[in-house]
Amino acid sequence: MNEDKKNNNEFEELVESSNYDKKNKEKIIIFSSLGVILIFTVIIVFSVLFVNKKYNVNIQYTIKTSEFREPIEKIKVELLGEKTVEKEFSLSDNIKMENIEKGNYTINISAIGQNDLKFYYGSVDSFIDEDKNINLELDKSTIKYSIDTEWEETKAIITLPDGYDEYVVVEKDQDQYKIKDIISENKYELNSDNKTHNIFFAAVKDKKVFDYSQEIIITKNNPPNSPNILYPEEGQNHSQKDIIFTWEASDPDKDLLTYDIYLSDGTTQKNIANGLNNNSFGYNSLELNKNYTLKVVAKDSQNAKSEQSIKFTTTKYEKSYLYSPSGKYGVTIYEVYDPKNPKEISNIKTSGNVTDTVLINTSLFILRINDGITIADVKNPETPIIKKNLELDEVDGLKATDKYAYIRFKDGRVSVYSIEKNPYDPKFLGFTDIKYYGSKNPEIKYIQKNIRIEVPIIQNEYALNYKFKNKIYIGSYILVVGSEEARTKINNNLTYVYDNLSLIFTNREIEDFKDYAKIDSIKSQLKNALNEFLKMSEDTGVKEVKLSINKIN
């Protein structure tokens, strides 16, 4: 203290002295400089302690619970104020922003994942004038999604809202939500396969991922079954300008179908109808003497398609023949040049009531309802010739192809005959299901060896005279046959059946009818005699004779 006082006195003496020397002048300068330095030091210390003080910001965050859990790679913190401070942290780091100057800040926190996208984010405004602890929940902003789905056959095309930078595609797979893709266009294509797809979309703007859309479910879509064109048939000739195209189609997913119709004459193809809801279409602009291709395209509600094409021809009216069932008058044959003016040229007279005919090449199959089938040669329609009669009881339907004739009975049975080698001598093959009635490839369910039809001859006790001396009382006499034809022939020849029985009995000894072994021999003799009369084998004729004898007097 005494030393400072002494120095001050010296300084005052130097200042007041009007005759100080150079040495004294230097002392004045030194003291002045020390004073200035002291003042600046005080200012700097004050600034450090009070004006430029900096603070630390500790940040705690949580991510809002969601069924979507994207893989987060890092956390990014931005402090936006007069100065911008950015820093990235790993998920395991404690988030601390150090040496932050006093001021107002917007604090942005983002959870960063794939492609540097901000999957979760939060923001808070804060005035920093001391060390701070910030707690923030990270979430997504929501938007309203408008999403359309269209189909191109088995491919779904999904249109997303426009005006965004990117779109995150998430698929749910066994309760797991996984990022399937990140796309830049607002259209997403997904091929329908064998499983159901549960898809979500999230729009992205400025790297910020918005909340996800509602679930979009894409299920496997099967295309329609190929249409079956009913008219005209493949290769058919249609001799008029007007035509009604008909077809049938179905969809394995039970979708409603619409139809587009195309017609080609070999030079140009025309789309003559679109979006039809029914299974027929009338067209009145055919040209005669042309070869056409008709194509029917079936489309389901998701635009999946299938198609079928057939070829047909158109010709001028040429001579043809119409074989008209005429009931008890048989079959009337017409010569047709103009379908509107047919000309009667001949008649096939048959027994019974004719209700249907089927022409196979030059063979005409004629249905006599309940009575049987007649087959006629109509190679020359003006002079038809009956070639075969099949007497079949309770027959009520007839169809035929190049190889098979189908005869339907009232009880629902459908018998199948082979006519491929000789249509006038049909060979019985067996029976088939009604669904194969008229089919080109029937499934024979019951072959002829398994057919057993019982034809009762005697059902109540009947006394047969034996050599005018005795009577043999027959309890029952039943023939088991292997075809409808055999049953019909037997029923039409019952007199012979009785006479045959009487003749064979008369040629046996009375004791034979008391011996079971001899009775079996009698049955065998009856069977052989009947099959010889019927001109049929055991397979289709008489298979077994059932005979019971009650007593002998």
Side-chain angles (χ1 to χ4, degrees):
M1 179 66 71
N2 292 331
E3 186 65 29
D4 290 339
K5 185 175 181 181
K6 179 179 178 181
N7 289 336
N8 289 334
N9 290 335
E10 289 181 2
F11 178 74
E12 292 173 358
E13 289 176 0
L14 289 172
V15 172
E16 291 173 357
S17 173
S18 59
N19 297 315
Y20 53 85
D21 55 19
K22 183 177 181 180
K23 183 177 180 181
N24 291 334
K25 191 174 183 177
E26 291 177 351
K27 288 184 177 183
I28 291 173
I29 292 171
I30 292 171
F31 281 117
S32 299
S33 298
L34 289 173
V36 171
I37 292 170
L38 180 61
I39 292 171
F40 273 105
T41 300
V42 172
I43 292 172
I44 290 171
V45 170
F46 181 81
S47 297
V48 171
L49 293 177
F50 300 100
V51 177
N52 290 327
K53 185 174 181 180
K54 297 185 178 181
Y55 306 96
N56 296 327
V57 179
N58 295 304
I59 298 174
Q60 299 289 331
Y61 70 90
T62 57
I63 295 177
K64 187 175 181 179
T65 301
S66 169
E67 57 188 355
F68 302 96
R69 182 59 70 188
E70 303 87 343
I72 304 302
E73 299 171 358
K74 57 188 175 182
I75 301 297
K76 182 177 181 179
V77 180
E78 298 173 303
L79 273 64
L80 306 180
E82 289 186 9
K83 294 182 179 180
T84 296
V85 181
E86 296 182 2
K87 191 172 181 181
E88 293 181 350
F89 298 87
S90 69
L91 299 180
S92 60
D93 289 344
N94 292 323
I95 300 179
K96 183 176 184 181
M97 302 295 284
E98 298 178 322
N99 299 320
I100 306 302
E101 296 181 0
K102 179 180 178 181
N104 286 308
Y105 291 89
T106 296
I107 303 174
N108 295 327
I109 305 175
S110 304
I112 308 296
Q114 186 175 337
N115 287 22
D116 280 335
L117 296 182
K118 299 175 181 178
F119 284 97
Y120 298 92
Y121 39 84
S123 180
V124 64
D125 292 329
S126 180
F127 179 72
I128 305 299
D129 60 352
E130 60 180 349
D131 289 344
K132 289 272 187 175
N133 291 315
I134 302 293
N135 291 299
L136 197 60
E137 182 181 58
L138 308 187
D139 198 356
K140 292 182 174 73
S141 298
T142 60
I143 60 171
K144 184 176 181 180
Y145 286 93
S146 176
I147 299 176
D148 295 321
T149 303
E150 295 180 350
W151 286 86
E152 288 185 359
E153 296 185 354
T154 58
K155 178 170 64 178
I157 301 177
I158 303 169
T159 302
L160 305 170
D162 200 4
Y164 294 91
D165 302 330
E166 294 176 290
Y167 304 86
V168 178
V169 184
V170 171
E171 182 168 6
K172 182 181 179 182
D173 185 10
Q174 297 182 351
D175 296 328
Q176 297 292 320
Y177 296 81
K178 298 178 181 179
I179 295 178
K180 183 179 180 67
D181 204 354
I182 297 175
I183 58 176
S184 56
E185 300 292 331
N186 71 322
K187 287 188 182 294
Y188 183 71
E189 297 183 358
L190 182 64
N191 284 317
S192 173
D193 49 27
N194 291 325
K195 69 175 185 177
T196 298
H197 295 270
N198 302 74
I199 304 293
F200 302 81
F201 296 94
V204 180
K205 188 73 173 179
D206 299 327
K207 292 294 184 179
K208 291 175 66 175
V209 179
F210 290 91
D211 204 2
Y212 288 94
S213 67
Q214 289 185 337
E215 182 178 28
I216 297 175
I217 300 175
I218 305 296
T219 58
K220 176 187 178 182
N221 180 53
N222 296 295
N225 298 318
S226 294
N228 178 28
I229 297 176
L230 302 176
Y231 189 86
E233 297 181 357
E234 177 67 35
Q236 185 172 347
N237 179 65
H238 181 82
S239 58
Q240 301 180 50
K241 294 182 178 181
D242 298 343
I243 191 170
I244 297 178
F245 300 120
T246 58
W247 62 90
E248 61 185 4
S250 61
D251 187 88
D253 302 325
K254 308 301 181 185
D255 293 336
L256 294 177
L257 300 179
T258 59
Y259 307 96
D260 298 338
I261 311 300
Y262 297 84
L263 190 64
S264 170
D265 61 4
T267 303
T268 59
Q269 177 173 272
K270 296 180 181 179
N271 181 196
I272 60 175
N274 279 318
L276 298 176
N277 294 314
N278 55 354
N279 293 67
S280 64
F281 178 70
Y283 187 68
N284 59 6
S285 299
L286 290 178
E287 297 181 30
L288 296 179
N289 298 320
K290 286 243 181 182
N291 296 318
Y292 282 102
T293 299
L294 171 68
K295 180 169 73 173
V296 177
V297 179
K299 299 186 294 185
D300 65 14
S301 57
Q302 298 180 358
N303 210 35
K305 302 175 183 178
S306 63
E307 63 183 55
Q308 188 197 34
S309 298
I310 61 101
K311 296 181 184 297
F312 69 99
T313 59
T314 58
T315 64
K316 293 181 180 179
Y317 296 134
E318 296 179 356
K319 183 168 67 173
S320 61
Y321 297 94
L322 174 65
Y323 302 89
S324 175
S326 301
K328 65 180 181 180
Y329 299 105
V331 178
T332 304
I333 303 178
Y334 296 88
E335 184 180 76
V336 181
Y337 278 102
D338 182 350
K340 297 180 180 179
N341 297 293
K343 177 185 175 183
E344 183 177 344
I345 61 171
S346 63
N347 179 265
I348 302 175
K349 296 186 181 298
T350 66
S351 62
N353 180 20
V354 175
T355 59
D356 197 7
T357 62
V358 178
L359 181 65
I360 301 297
N361 299 318
T362 59
S363 302
L364 186 67
F365 291 77
I366 303 166
L367 172 64
R368 293 177 286 114
I369 192 75
N370 293 325
D371 290 337
I373 305 296
T374 295
I375 308 171
D377 181 354
V378 291
K379 186 174 183 180
N380 184 350
E382 295 182 359
T383 57
I385 302 171
I386 292 178
K387 292 286 192 177
K388 183 80 170 181
N389 281 306
L390 297 177
E391 304 303 329
L392 303 169
D393 293 339
E394 298 187 345
V395 60
D396 74 344
L398 169 67
K399 286 189 178 183
T401 67
D402 289 341
K403 295 182 178 181
Y404 304 102
Y406 297 85
I407 299 173
R408 187 184 66 204
F409 295 87
K410 284 187 175 181
D411 60 7
R413 290 174 298 126
V414 176
S415 61
V416 185
Y417 289 79
S418 173
I419 59 173
E420 184 175 12
K421 291 183 179 180
N422 184 357
Y424 306 117
D425 186 21
K427 300 299 183 184
F428 180 72
L429 300 178
F431 291 93
T432 189
D433 287 340
I434 190 67
K435 66 181 179 180
Y436 295 107
Y437 183 44
S439 169
K440 291 183 178 180
N441 295 294
E443 181 177 316
I444 306 299
K445 290 292 187 181
Y446 309 101
I447 61 174
Q448 54 192 23
K449 291 183 179 179
N450 293 329
I451 299 171
R452 295 177 62 84
I453 303 172
E454 290 194 355
V455 183
I457 306 301
I458 297 173
Q459 293 179 286
N460 299 316
E461 189 174 83
Y462 174 78
L464 181 68
N465 290 320
Y466 176 77
K467 297 182 180 181
F468 304 103
K469 297 179 181 179
N470 303 94
K471 286 188 177 181
I472 301 174
Y473 291 87
I474 300 172
S476 65
Y477 179 33
I478 298 172
L479 304 179
V480 179
V481 299
S483 68
E484 288 290 339
E485 184 181 3
R487 177 171 70 172
T488 301
K489 284 185 175 182
I490 290 170
N491 286 333
N492 290 339
N493 294 276
L494 289 176
T495 299
Y496 170 82
V497 174
Y498 280 103
D499 289 345
N500 181 66
L501 177 68
S502 178
L503 178 62
I504 290 176
F505 271 34
T506 301
N507 290 327
R508 305 297 295 229
E509 297 297 328
I510 192 66
E511 297 300 321
D512 291 349
F513 299 101
K514 301 176 182 179
D515 186 331
Y516 287 112
K518 296 293 179 65
I519 291 176
D520 286 340
S521 174
I522 294 171
K523 292 179 182 178
S524 179
Q525 190 176 358
L526 287 168
K527 179 176 69 173
N528 293 336
L530 287 168
N531 282 333
E532 184 176 354
F533 168 75
L534 296 173
K535 296 181 179 179
M536 302 180 79
S537 69
E538 186 174 330
D539 287 337
T540 57
V542 178
K543 291 175 171 285
E544 180 185 353
V545 173
K546 295 182 178 181
L547 177 67
S548 66
I549 298 175
N550 291 346
K551 60 184 179 179
I552 301 171
N553 286 337

